[in-house]
Amino acid sequence: MFYCSDRSAGILLAALVVFPAGAAPCKPADPSLAGHYVLRGVMEVGSELLLKSDGRFNYMLAYGALDELASGCWMRSGNTVTLHAYEFKANMDDPGKFERLDLTVAPGGKLIRRFDDEHKGTYAR
């Protein structure tokens, strides 16, 4: 499983995922949700999410031999944070690849991700 400390996470995410030069510029997003998040509650999955106040995001997920990296723009509408990926890379065929991913805003600024009907995890700062 992939793991990095809170201190090095922002540097690692920035180094792994580069925002593509040809992508549309992002609009500033809700600054109260900007920050570094780590996924909890899903066995054998490591995932981190960096939401920037300028509306950009960086994302990584590691599950077994699968590694995903994504970058793009994010926005908040009510209790939903939507990630729009302009770049998504995986090291193998990936059934979880997304161009758009909706997360539910929970109390305390946590973000809930549903993988399927039985599996969900919480991104927390």
Side-chain angles (χ1 to χ4, degrees):
M1 180 184 334
F2 179 85
Y3 174 77
C4 68
S5 70
D6 286 342
R7 185 174 175 199
S8 65
I11 296 168
L12 180 62
L13 284 169
L16 290 175
V17 181
V18 178
F19 193 73
C26 301
K27 295 179 182 175
D30 183 346
S32 71
L33 291 176
H36 172 241
Y37 293 79
V38 177
L39 183 68
R40 306 276 188 235
V42 184
M43 290 182 55
E44 301 179 11
V45 175
S47 181
E48 297 185 30
L49 177 62
L50 180 61
L51 299 180
K52 300 176 183 181
S53 60
D54 67 1
R56 294 180 296 141
F57 79 87
N58 291 339
Y59 158 92
M60 66 74 53
L61 180 136
Y63 175 66
L66 172 66
D67 296 316
E68 299 176 341
L69 299 173
S71 62
C73 298
W74 71 279
M75 61 177 282
R76 178 181 187 172
S77 179
N79 286 330
T80 303
V81 167
T82 302
L83 308 179
H84 294 278
Y86 292 111
E87 183 169 18
F88 191 104
K89 295 181 182 179
N91 63 334
M92 60 178 54
D93 287 337
D94 186 355
K97 181 177 180 177
F98 65 87
E99 291 180 11
R100 175 187 169 144
L101 178 65
D102 290 329
L103 306 170
T104 303
V105 180
K110 296 179 181 179
L111 304 173
I112 307 298
R113 179 176 182 181
R114 294 196 180 281
F115 289 90
D116 57 36
D117 289 340
E118 298 177 22
H119 300 92
K120 69 179 181 176
T122 302
Y123 284 100
R125 290 185 249 192

